[in-house]
Amino acid sequence: MTITLNNRTETIDADKLSVSELLNYKNFTFKLLLVKLNGNLIKKDKFSETIINDDDKVDVIHMISGG
Amino acid sequence: MLIKLLYDFFKNNLILRTSSDKPNSMTFDQIKKKLKTKTVGIAGAGGLGSNCAVALARSGIGKLIIADFDVVSESNLNRQYYFYNQIGQIKVNALKENINQINPEVHITVHNTKIDRLNFPYIFSECDIIVEAFDKAEEKQMLIETALTEFPKKPIISGLGMAGYGNSNSLRSRQIDNLYICGDETSEISEDNPPLAPRVGIIANMQANLVLEILLNS
């Protein structure tokens, strides 16, 4: 399937996968992440049950200290 | 004479081209008139919040709502908009005083409180835009998640990644729906990578610049 991840086209060898699986696949191991799927905020406790499908738009934002 | 003619020709054409390239160009009086009707929320009055608030005040923003629970300490003075004689003062009060010295026309409401999921909607409900200006990643996450949940349409401008010095060109901004991010999205603060005035100031002003862009183009 093909998704848009952080504004880049990404082709993944699967029909669908969960947010958790995508984060593992992309090695996003940062402890504080904000995930948006098609514009909707996905909270951490929903990462394993939220499914990403073909054509979906995913944004993963790293929370970084400093200010 | 020929040089003068050439000079006038290029001068006029350059001015014409500049104004036609920018359909939204406005005089400072027009900018101030529009900004005077707007309210911006500043969540955190540290390096990002204090500098961003000052830039917005200088630009003529109508109202600022500033929330922070901290007091000014000596270690803040390497990047935050406070003065030596303000050490020990409540940050939001000190910032209000400093902004009053720059532009007394700005209406400022301060909240000397720790922002959490419960009080956030009450403090910032009337804002046209919210600037996320916290220090800790956990707090940033709480604020962005709460803002996106409570106010799905309101623009929120976050600062992510500005520790250290140098590499100005790594500092950029991007938009994800109503969430805007300013920073390099990688430089985390640590003992060896402290937050310093130049890069923190760039991000604070980048946030203020985005506020102007959103408000003036709306």
Side-chain angles (χ1 to χ4, degrees), chain B residues 3 7 20 58 61 72 74 77 82 121-122 124 143 145 154 164 176 178 188 195 209:
Chain B
I3 288 168
Y7 173 76
S20 64
R58 289 190 200 277
I61 198 78
V72 179
E74 195 174 345
L77 299 184
Y82 301 105
Y122 298 99
F124 295 108
L143 189 104
E145 284 186 359
K154 209 187 281 279
I176 305 153
N178 61 319
E188 183 131 40
N209 202 25

Side-chain angles (χ1 to χ4, degrees), chain A residues 6-7 30-34 36 38-41 43-44 57 59-67, chain B residues 47-48 79 134-138 140-141 144-145 149 160 162 176-177 179 181 185-189:
Chain A
N6 290 342
N7 285 331
F30 211 75
K31 64 182 162 65
L32 289 166
L33 293 170
L34 201 124
K36 290 192 88 184
N38 298 326
N40 300 312
L41 177 71
K43 297 220 171 134
K44 198 173 183 174
K57 179 180 183 294
D59 291 287
V60 180
I61 305 143
H62 292 66
M63 293 295 123
I64 294 156
S65 287
Chain B
L48 292 176
R79 66 191 188 284
F134 284 157
D135 185 23
K136 293 191 182 74
E138 292 84 356
K140 286 175 183 286
Q141 178 143 22
I144 298 169
E145 284 186 359
T149 308
L160 290 170
M162 78 292 300
I176 305 153
D177 310 308
L179 170 65
I181 294 167
E185 297 186 50
T186 51
S187 302
E188 183 131 40
I189 52 162

